[in-house]
Structures are given as C-alpha cells and as structure tokens.
C-alpha cells in the first residue's frame, strides 16, 4: 500500500502558518514540489503510453488543417490519428452537421439506440489537494462530511429503490480521511444493491486497485484535468494530485489490477481544449490497443462554475466546440462509451445522446448524505456536506428514463451479470 504522503488541512480557522504557506504556494513557484516527481510510496510502472500521447499532443498544430483535410477525414471509413486531428481543428467547425451524421451512424452501428443510465454518490468530500479551480480544495472553508457505513447503506438503499442499477462512488481526494479500507467497505455495500459499481477516488497503486476490485468495484474513473503539464503545475499547487505522471498511469494500474473498465477525461477549458481533447482520446486509443479486453469511456466536462479565475485564465469552451469534440471522439473511437455530465443542460444532453453520447447520469446530487431528501422529499436529520459544483440537469431516474424512451432511445440500467 502507498504511504501517506500528504495531510489534511481544515479550511476552517486556518492558522497563520497555513495561510502563509498558501500564499507562498500561490506566489512562489520554488516553494512547490516537482509535479513530475513521484512521492514516496507512489508506484512507478513501466509503460510507453505516456510518451506516445505526449509526443502526439506536443506536435499537434491544429492551425495547419484545412477544409480539404476535414473532407478527406469524413470520406474515409476508418478515422486515423491524423484524420482525428483534422476533425478537432477549427477547420472542422463548418462541418458539424456532416460530423453529426457520421457520428450518429457510428453510434448506431456499435450501440444501437441504447443509452446507459447511472448515478453518482458522494460519500465524502474531504480533500488534501489544492487545485486552485475547485471549491473543495483543502484551503477552502466548506462543510466537510464523511458518511459512516450505516449512512452509506441508507443512501444506497434509497438510490436502489429508485430502480438505479449502476452507481459511481466518489470520495473527494483524501487518503487520510477516506482510506482504502473505507472505500473497500463502501464497494462491498454497493455490491449488495447495484450490478455495476464505479469509483472516482484519488489514484492508488495496483495492489490497492486489486483490493477494491475484490471488494466489488468494476471500473475506475480518473480525470487528468489537463495534459498540459506546465498548466497542470500552475493549477495543482499542493497534495498528491500534484504528481502528474502518477495520475496519468492510474487507469493502466487499474487495468493491471483486473478492473473491468476505466474512464478518462480532461476538464475542458483549463488549458487548450483541442490539445486536451486530442490527448484524452489518444490516452484511450493507445491503452485500448494494449488492453483490448477493457471497456473504456470518455467524459467531456467543461470548467464551471469556477473560483480563482485570475489564477486560472480559463479558456472558454462553447457548446458548439464541446459538440465538435464529442463528435470527433465518436468518429475516431466508435466503440468507446461517451458520458455527458449533468453540468450540461437538459437540451444539450437530450440532443447529444441521440448522436454520439452513450451514457448519462440521472438523479444526481453532488452533496453528501442528501439522497433521502432529494429522492423521497423527506427531511433529513443528518448533517449534509456541501456540493462540489452546481448541476444543470437535475432530472430524476424516472423522468430521464421516460424522456429517453419518448426520444426513441432505449434506456439501459444494466447489461452486466456479476459472476
Ligand atoms: S478537483 Fe478534486 S482533488 Fe482537486 S480540490 Fe477539488 S475535489 Fe480535491
């Protein structure tokens, strides 16, 4: 197991020393650790995936692509890396309708008219990291909470009663507050209620992923946030998350540990979204070739709402550009799952699931311990933790299911038998 290599700071009543450290981290780059250097206890694996992805991303000059390149890419049966680069470029913006037609064809070839439904469950929101764009960061004064096993059981039973069969467990990123044993127990409970159990937790070593898999976890989601290592350094100032390469290899460690599937994402808008979209898709592409048995999926969140705008210099990604990214993903990676976050509007999600996305969350709450009040309208006696971000599409499972059916899609709660 990895050693504990960071500590939890309580954003409430920060000491003078803690405030000074925060100020220094923000203003003096030499006070920060090397973001490319592993911390003690972090497993290093031999892998060529990172070099392949980064060399493609670093040499990607999307301004050189023309309408002719985009037309050629759309005319080909199989989309190459070069074609994908053209589809992500500004030259493809006038071709969105044609890209949508092609994407819809690829989606129906590989997924029929199905759309998978799942819900996230935040069981804790403690975090040891200082990501400057996130309200959950360790220096922020928010209501922190960690559910005990009885409370997790109760939340899961409420969600399961709604008919949901797939759950994604999230913890925030504090190894100290939400240790592997705790997450493992949550997986065991989830296995009682759900047929598919996903995890979105801090990256861990292979032996820890193996343990979590034995406890019932099927797949692991890790957001790389940005593949631009210089920007990453400026945005992740403190904590284990600061170590970029350890995060990059998380999915590969999870697959080596026997996880059935892995999910990837960049937070579009933190850096150049075209380069981040290219790197995310290539991360999937190269790993898929190495682990052909694994299920892989991509998420496409955009940065919102944000704090510390002055430090981040966010690069806005408009709906049209997000749409271009998703369509390009689908054409390049026809059989990879694409998830659309509830941060996006109902209108956008309803449109994109008919064309390219295959997975959508429903009955979403990003708070802690509030499912009973949200699902059953009951007053809850327990304290509730703050929400990480505001969601735009708050449809319940029933409403989402009905909406998908009415749109001519086939909502799927699960297609997996646990053996
Ligand atoms: S983005 Fe994740 S790791 Fe970073 S501060 Fe927020 S909750 Fe913590």
């Amino acid at each position: 197991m990895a050693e504990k290599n960071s500590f939890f700071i309580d954003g409430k009543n920060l000491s003078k020393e803690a405030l000074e450290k925060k100020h220094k981290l923000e203003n003096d780059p030499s006070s920060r650790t090397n973001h490319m250097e592993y911390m003690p206890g972090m497993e290093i694996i031999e892998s060529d995936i990172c070099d392949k992805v980064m060399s493609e991303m670093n040499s990607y000059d999307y301004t050189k692509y023309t309408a002719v390149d985009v037309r050629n890419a759309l005319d080909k049966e199989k989309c190459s890396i070069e074609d994908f680069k053209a589809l992500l470029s500004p030259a493809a913006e006038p071709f969105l309708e044609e890209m949508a037609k092609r994407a819809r064809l690829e989606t129906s070839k590989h997924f029929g008219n199905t759309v998978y439904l799942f819900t996230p469950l935040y069981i804790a929101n403690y975090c040891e990291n200082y990501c400057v764009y996130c309200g959950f960061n360790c220096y922020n004064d928010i209501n922190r909470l960690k559910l005990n096993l009885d409370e997790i059981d109760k939340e899961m039973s409420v969600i399961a009663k709604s008919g949901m069969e797939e759950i994604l467990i999230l913890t925030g990123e504090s190894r100290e507050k939400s240790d592997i044993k705790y997450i493992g127990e949550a997986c065991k409970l989830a296995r009682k209620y759900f047929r598919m159990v996903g995890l979105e937790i801090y990256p861990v070593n292979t032996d820890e992923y193996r343990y979590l898999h034995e406890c019932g976890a099927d797949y692991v989601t890790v957001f790389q946030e940005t593949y631009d290592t210089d920007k990453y350094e400026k945005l992740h100032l403190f904590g284990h998350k600061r170590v970029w390469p350890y995060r990059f290899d998380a999915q590969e460690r999870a697959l080596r540990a026997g996880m059935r599937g892995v999910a990837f994402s960049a937070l579009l808008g933190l850096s150049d979204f075209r380069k981040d979209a290219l790197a995310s898709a290539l991360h999937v592409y190269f790993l898929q070739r190495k682990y052909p048995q694994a299920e892989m999926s991509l998420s496409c969140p955009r940065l919102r709402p944000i704090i510390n705008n002055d430090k981040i210099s966010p690069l806005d990604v408009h709906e049209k550009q997000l749409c271009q990214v998703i369509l390009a993903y689908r054409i390049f990676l026809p059989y990879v799952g694409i998830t659309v976050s509830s941060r996006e509007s109902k209108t956008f999600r309803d449109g994109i699931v008919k064309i390219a996305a295959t997975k959508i969350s429903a009955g979403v709450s990003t708070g802690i311990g509030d499912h009973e009040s949200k699902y059953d309208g009951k007053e809850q006696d327990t304290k509730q933790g703050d929400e990480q971000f505001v969601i735009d599409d708050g449809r319940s499972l029933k409403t989402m299911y009905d909406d998908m059916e009415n749109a001519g899609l086939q909502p799927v709660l699960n297609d997996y038998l646990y053996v």
Side-chain angles (χ1 to χ4, degrees), residues 122 125-139 144 171-174 200 202 223 225 235-236 238 240-241 247 267 343 388:
Y122 287 75
N125 64 2
Y126 286 90
C127 190
E128 293 167 3
N129 296 307
Y130 184 17
C131 309
V132 298
Y133 52 86
C134 177
F136 267 23
N137 79 56
C138 63
Y139 285 107
R144 305 276 177 184
T171 57
E173 297 205 13
S174 171
E200 192 175 325
Y202 49 88
F223 283 18
E225 314 297 13
L235 297 175
H236 304 90
F238 177 76
H240 54 82
K241 185 169 176 180
R247 199 167 186 90
L267 185 50
R343 301 181 201 204
Q388 188 180 17

Side-chain angles (χ1 to χ4, degrees), residues 23 71 202 222 264 275 394:
H23 183 78
R71 161 90 10 256
Y202 49 88
V222 181
F264 305 74
K275 288 196 165 214

